[in-house]
C-alpha cells in the first residue's frame, strides 16, 4: 500500500457498505423467488415441509430487509458526502429512475410485510397469499433491474452520457447481461444461504423432528443453489461478451492484463462451489438405502471435475500484468509453447463445460438414488452440514470479490471514459488487497447473518 | 496409504519432468507451474481423502457445533485470501500523474489499456507482437524514411499509421492520435523518442 493511502479511506468505506448492501439485497431479492415456489409446492404436494421452509426463510428475509435498507442508506450517505460530483450527476440524470425506485421500494416493503404477516390470516385463501408473494417478486425484480441500469451505466455508458435520453442511459450495452447474471446469481446465493441456515439449525437442533426437517431443508437449499449455479456461467459469458462488444480494452484489462489473475481466484472459488455441491451429494447418498452403489460413478465425476478445474485454472503466465517484464527468462513464468492451448479460452471453455455437465450428471444420479432408495432424513453425516457452511462461504466470497472486479473494470473512471475518478484513491487495487477486503466483508456478512439466525430462531426458544 | 503414495508420486513427477525435458521440447514448465500443479495435486489428494473419510457423528453441544461452523467458514475464506495474496501482484498505481515527467506520463499513456499501444507493440520484452518491437524506435525512426526526422516519422505513424507499414506486418493500427488529448499525444511522443 502506498504511504499516502491511510488504512481506512473513503473508497474502502464505500466498498464495504456497498458490498454489504448488495449481499443483503441479493438475499432479500433472490430468496422470495423460491419461497413462493416452495409455498406453491406445499399446496400442490400437501407436504408441510415446503410450507415451513417458505415461512422460516421468509422470517430471515424480513429481518435481513432492515439491514439491506441500513447499508443502502450508509452507501448513499458516503456517496453524497464524499463523491459529490459523481452522485450529483447520477442523481440528476437518473432522477426519474430514483423516483420510481423509491416508489417500488415502498410497494415492495408493503408487499413483503403483507406476505409475511398474512400467512395465518390467509390460510384458507392460499391463492391470494401466493399472489402477494408473486407480486413481491415482480416488484423486487424491477427494483433490481432499475439499479442495475445505474450500475451498468457506469461501466458502459452510451456515447454522450450528459445528453442521452433516459432510456439510452438505462438500456446501456450491458444492462441485459447484468440483469440476467444477477437474477440467476441471486437465486443461487439465496439457495446456499438457506442451506447455511439449515446447517446452522440442524447442528444445533436437539429434536429428531427438527433434525429431519433441517436436513431436508439443507438438501433443498443445495439443490436450488446448484441448479442456479449450473446456469450461472452461461449468464456470465453473455455479460462478458456484452462488455467485450462495448469496448474490447475493458475485456483485455479483465482477462489478459492486470485483472487476469483475479479470474484465476474466481475460477478457484467457482470450481470449489461445484466440487463442494458434489461432495454434499456424495455424503447425502451414503444414507440412502442402495445409494452406495452409485459411488463408482461419483468418483469418476470427481476425477473429471478435478481435471477440468485444473485446466480451467492453469494460468497463461505468472506475470501480474501484460506489461510486466519478467525478472528471469520468459519461459520460466509463461506457459510452454506446445502447451499454450491450456491457457487459451477454448480449453477453458471446454473445462468449465465439463464441470457443469458432470455436476448436472451427478445431480441426476443423486435423484435416481433418492427415487430408487429410501432416504432417512435427519441422519446425515455431520460433514455434509459443514459442507453446507462451506458453500455459502464460497458463494458470498465470490460475489464480493467479483463485485470488486466489476468496479475495477472501469479503471480510473467513475463513469467509463466520461467522468474521471480524481479522488486520492483512484487506483487499481492489487489482487491480494482486493481479496483481503472481500474476505473481511464476507466475514462481516457471515457474523451479521449468524446474528440474524440466532436472534430469530434460537433466543427465547 | 495408497492415496498418499499416489499423491507423492505425482508431486515428485511434477518436479522431475522439467529436468528431463529439454527447452526445445516446448513442454518444459517453469517452477511457478510446478508449484501450481503441486498445489492442485495436494488438493486432489485431499478431495479423495475426504471421499474416504469415515462418517462424522453429531456434535455433543451447540457450542461445539457453532464453533465448527465458524471454523469451516473462516478457514475457507482464509485459504482463498492466502492464495490471492501469494499470486502475482501488480503495484498500487494512482491514475493521477501529477509530478511525473513527460516521459513517465507518456509511458503511462503507452501502457494504458484504453489506448492499447502495448497490446500490439513490445518494449523491452513486455507487450504484444502484432506490431513491430518499439524497444529502439527512436533510433529506428530516425532512419526509417530518408529525409524524415524521427519526430516526423513518429507523428505520422500515430496520425496516419497506414502511410508506412513495416514489412512483414499488417496494416491494422488505428490512428491513435485521434483518441488522445494534445497533452497525452505530446507525452507519448516524448516517451517514444526516449526509446533509443
Amino acid at each position: 500500500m502506498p504511504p499516502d493511502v491511510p488504512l481506512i479511506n473513503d473508497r474502502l468505506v464505500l466498498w464495504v457498505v456497498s458490498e454489504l448492501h448488495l449481499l443483503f439485497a441479493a438475499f432479500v431479492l433472490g430468496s422470495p423467488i423460491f419461497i413462493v415456489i416452495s409455498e406453491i409446492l406445499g399446496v400442490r404436494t400437501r407436504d408441510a415441509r415446503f410450507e415451513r421452509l417458505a415461512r422460516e426463510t421468509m422470517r430471515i428475509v424480513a429481518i435481513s430487509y432492515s439491514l439491506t435498507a441500513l447499508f443502502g442508506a450508509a452507501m448513499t450517505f458516503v456517496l453524497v458526502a464524499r463523491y459529490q460530483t459523481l452522485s450529483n450527476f447520477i442523481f440528476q440524470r437518473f432522477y426519474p429512475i430514483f423516483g420510481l425506485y423509491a416508489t417500488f421500494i415502498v410497494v415492495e416493503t408493503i408487499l413483503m410485510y403483507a406476505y409475511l404477516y398474512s400467512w395465518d390470516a390467509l390460510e384458507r385463501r392460499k391463492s391470494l397469499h401466493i399472489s402477494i408473494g408473486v407480486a413481491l417478486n415482480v416488484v423486487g425484480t424491477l427494483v433490481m433491474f432499475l439499479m442495475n441500469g445505474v450500475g451498468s451505466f457506469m461501466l458502459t455508458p452510451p456515447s454522450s452520457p450528459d445528453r442521452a435520453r433516459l432510456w439510452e442511459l438505462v438500456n446501456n450495452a450491458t444492462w441485459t447481461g447484468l440483469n440476467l447474471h444477477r437474477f440467476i446469481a441471486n437465486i443461487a446465493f439465496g439457495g446456499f444461504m438457506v442451506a447455511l441456515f439449515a446447517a446452522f439449525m440442524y447442528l444445533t437442533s436437539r429434536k429428531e423432528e427438527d433434525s429431519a426437517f433441517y436436513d431436508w431443508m439443507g438438501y433443498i437449499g443445495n439443490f436450488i443453489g446448484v441448479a442456479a449455479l449450473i446456469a450461472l456461467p452461461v449468464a456470465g459469458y453473455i455479460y462478458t461478451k456484452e462488455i467485450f462488444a462495448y469496448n474490447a480494452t475493458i475485456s483485455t484489462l479483465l482477462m489478459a492484463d492486470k485483472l487476469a489473475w483475479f479470474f484465476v481466484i474466481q475460477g478457484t472459488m467457482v470450481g470449489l462451489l461445484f466440487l463442494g455441491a458434489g461432495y454434499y451429494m456424495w455424503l447425502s447418498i451414503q444414507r440412502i438405502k442402495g445409494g452406495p452403489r452409485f459411488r463408482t460413478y461419483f468418483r469418476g465425476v470427481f476425477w473429471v471435475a478435478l481435471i477440468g478445474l485444473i485446466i480451467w485454472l492453469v494460468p497463461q503466465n505468472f506475470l501480474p500484468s501484460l506489461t510486466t517484464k519478467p525478472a528471469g527468462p520468459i519461459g520460466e513464468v509463461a506457459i510452454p509453447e506446445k502447451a499454450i492451448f491450456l491457457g487459451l479460452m477454448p480449453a477453458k471453455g471446454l473445462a468449465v463445460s465439463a464441470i457443469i455437465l458432470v455436476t448436472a450428471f451427478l445431480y441426476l444420479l443423486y435423484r435416481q438414488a433418492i427415487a430408487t432408495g429410501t432416504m432417512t432424513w435427519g441422519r446425515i453425516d455431520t460433514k455434509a452440514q459443514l459442507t453446507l457452511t462451506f458453500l455459502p462461504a464460497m458463494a458470498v466470497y465470490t460475489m464480493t470479490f467479483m463485485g470488486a472486479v466489476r468496479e475495477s473494470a472501469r479503471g480510473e473512471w467513475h463513469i467509463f471514459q466520461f467522468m474521471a475518478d480524481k479522488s486520492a484513491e483512484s487506483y487499481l487495487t492489487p489482487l491480494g488487497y482486493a481479496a483481503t477486503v472481500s474476505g473481511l466483508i464476507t466475514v462481516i456478512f457471515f457474523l451479521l447473518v449468524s446474528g440474524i439466525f440466532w436472534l430469530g430462531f434460537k433466543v427465547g426458544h | 496409504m495408497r492415496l498418499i503414495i499416489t499423491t507423492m508420486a505425482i508431486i515428485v513427477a511434477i518436479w522431475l519432468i522439467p529436468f528431463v525435458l529439454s527447452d526445445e521440447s516446448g513442454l518444459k514448465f517453469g517452477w511457478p507451474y510446478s508449484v501450481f500443479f503441486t498445489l492442485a495435486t495436494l488438493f486432489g489428494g485431499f478431495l479423495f481423502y475426504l471421499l474416504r473419510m469415515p462418517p462424522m457423528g453429531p456434535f455433543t453441544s451447540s457450542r461445539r457445533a457453532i464453533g465448527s461452523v465458524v471454523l469451516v467458514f473462516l478457514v475457507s475464506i482464509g485459504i482463498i485470501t492466502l492464495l490471492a495474496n501469494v499470486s502475482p501482484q501488480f503495484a498500487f498505481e494512482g491514475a493521477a500523474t501529477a509530478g511525473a515527467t513527460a516521459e513517465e506520463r507518456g509511458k503511462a499513456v503507452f501502457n494504458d489499456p484504453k489506448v492499447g499501444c502495448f497490446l500490439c507493440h513490445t518494449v523491452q520484452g513486455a507487450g504484444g507482437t502484432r506490431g513491430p518491437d518499439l524497444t529502439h524506435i527512436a533510433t529506428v525512426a530516425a532512419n526509417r524514411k530518408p529525409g524524415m526526422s524521427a519526430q516526423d516519422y513518429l507523428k505520422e505513424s500515430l496520425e496516419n499509421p497506414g502511410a508506412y507499414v513495416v514489412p512483414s506486418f499488417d496494416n491494422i493500427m488505428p490512428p491513435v492520435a485521434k483518441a488522445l488529448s494534445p497533452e497525452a499525444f505530446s507525452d507519448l511522443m516524448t516517451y517514444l523518442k526516449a526509446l533509443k
Side-chain angles (χ1 to χ4, degrees), chain A residues 39-40 43 115 122-134:
Chain A
E39 191 185 1
I40 295 168
V43 173
Y115 184 63
L122 296 177
E123 184 67 45
R124 294 181 185 284
R125 298 180 68 191
K126 269 290 177 196
S127 54
L128 178 59
H129 189 253
I130 288 168
S131 302
I132 297 171
V134 170

Side-chain angles (χ1 to χ4, degrees), chain A residues 259-272 313 394 397-398 401-402 431-432 435, chain B residues 79-87 89:
Chain A
L259 301 181
W261 265 89
F262 284 62
F263 281 88
V264 176
I265 298 299
Q266 180 236 17
T268 307
M269 290 193 279
V270 175
L272 288 175
L313 299 182
M394 284 302 105
Y397 201 171
T398 309
F401 187 69
M402 290 317 285
L431 174 57
Chain B
I79 289 174
I80 298 294
T81 308
L82 183 69
L83 274 178
N85 275 281
V86 297
S87 298
Q89 310 283 322

Side-chain angles (χ1 to χ4, degrees), chain A residues 249 252 258 279 282 315-316 322-323 325 332 335-336 338 381-383 390 397 412-413 426-427 430 432 435-436 446, chain B residues 25-26 30-33 50-51 54-57 62 73 76 81 84-85 89-90 93 95 111 113-114 118-119 124 126:
Chain A
T249 60
T252 306
K258 287 183 175 167
Y279 184 59
W282 162 270
Q316 210 166 35
L322 205 52
T323 52
K325 198 179 165 192
E332 273 289 297
I335 206 159
K338 285 190 181 158
D381 188 335
T382 300
K383 289 199 294 296
F390 168 77
Y397 201 171
E412 73 271 31
W413 301 93
S426 172
Y427 44 75
T436 306
F446 174 72
Chain B
S25 67
W31 69 265
Y33 284 93
L50 281 178
L51 298 185
M56 192 174 162
S62 291
F73 203 93
S76 317
T81 308
N85 275 281
Q89 310 283 322
F90 56 83
E93 276 180 23
N111 291 327
K114 283 163 249 350
F118 73 95
L119 296 174
Q124 291 165 352

Side-chain angles (χ1 to χ4, degrees), chain A residues 318-334, chain B residues 124-127:
Chain A
F318 279 83
L319 298 171
S321 77
L322 205 52
T323 52
T324 306
K325 198 179 165 192
I330 187 78
E332 273 289 297
V333 291
Chain B
Q124 291 165 352

Side-chain angles (χ1 to χ4, degrees), chain A residues 377-395:
Chain A
W377 297 109
R379 299 215 184 279
I380 196 167
D381 188 335
T382 300
K383 289 199 294 296
Q385 300 301 326
L386 295 177
T387 307
L388 292 183
T389 307
F390 168 77
L391 291 172
M394 284 302 105

